[in-house]
């Protein structure tokens, strides 16, 4: 009696990557220039908040719901996967604060 051999392909590791977008990739929209006339510190703080929000969303999507489980190393690894420059300690602290209040 002949038995059919079953072969399976190994799982693609990128399918289980929590930082991989679920939708097909679309080109990012061109960035708008920020309004002129503000002090430099305002722009630095604004960009830091945007970066912290992007990292917080990525961590929440990957299942990190407690600030205590979001170490600086884990946040910097998420930034690396997203293609963002490594965040500073201050930005990592902001990410943990956003996770705390984002639940």
């Amino acid at each position: 009696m002949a038995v059919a051999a079953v072969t399976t392909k190994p799982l693609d590791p990128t399918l289980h990557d929590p930082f991989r977008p679920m939708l097909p990739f679309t080109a990012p929209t061109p960035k708008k220039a920020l309004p002129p006339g503000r002090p430099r510190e305002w722009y630095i703080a604004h960009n830091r908040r945007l970066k912290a929000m992007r990292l917080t969303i990525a961590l929440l999507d990957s299942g990190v719901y407690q600030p205590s489980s979001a170490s600086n190393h884990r946040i910097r690894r998420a930034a690396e996967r997203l293609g963002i420059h490594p965040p500073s300690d201050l930005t990592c602290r902001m990410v943990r604060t956003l996770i705390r209040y984002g639940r």
Side-chain angles (χ1 to χ4, degrees):
M1 170 186 225
V3 177
V6 177
T7 59
T8 59
K9 294 180 183 178
L11 288 176
D12 183 6
T14 60
L15 292 177
H16 301 290
D17 184 8
F19 297 103
R20 190 178 132 259
M22 300 309 272
L23 298 174
F25 178 75
T26 57
T29 57
K31 294 183 179 182
K32 296 179 184 176
L34 292 173
R38 305 246 183 176
R40 179 173 168 74
E41 292 78 26
W42 183 89
Y43 294 105
I44 292 170
H46 177 75
N47 289 331
R48 187 183 305 273
R49 285 190 300 265
L50 291 177
K51 184 183 218 176
M53 285 192 300
R54 282 194 300 270
L55 289 168
T56 302
I57 291 167
L59 288 168
L60 289 171
D61 287 346
S62 70
V64 177
Y65 300 115
Q66 298 295 323
S68 58
S69 62
S71 65
N72 286 358
H73 179 71
R74 182 176 245 175
I75 294 169
R76 289 185 176 119
R77 243 184 21 230
E80 182 182 329
R81 288 182 183 175
L82 291 172
I84 302 173
H85 285 282
S88 65
D89 290 342
L90 179 60
T91 305
C92 290
R93 194 170 34 227
M94 288 176 74
V95 168
R96 282 188 285 277
T97 302
L98 288 170
I99 290 174
R100 181 176 299 115
Y101 294 109
R103 296 185 277 159

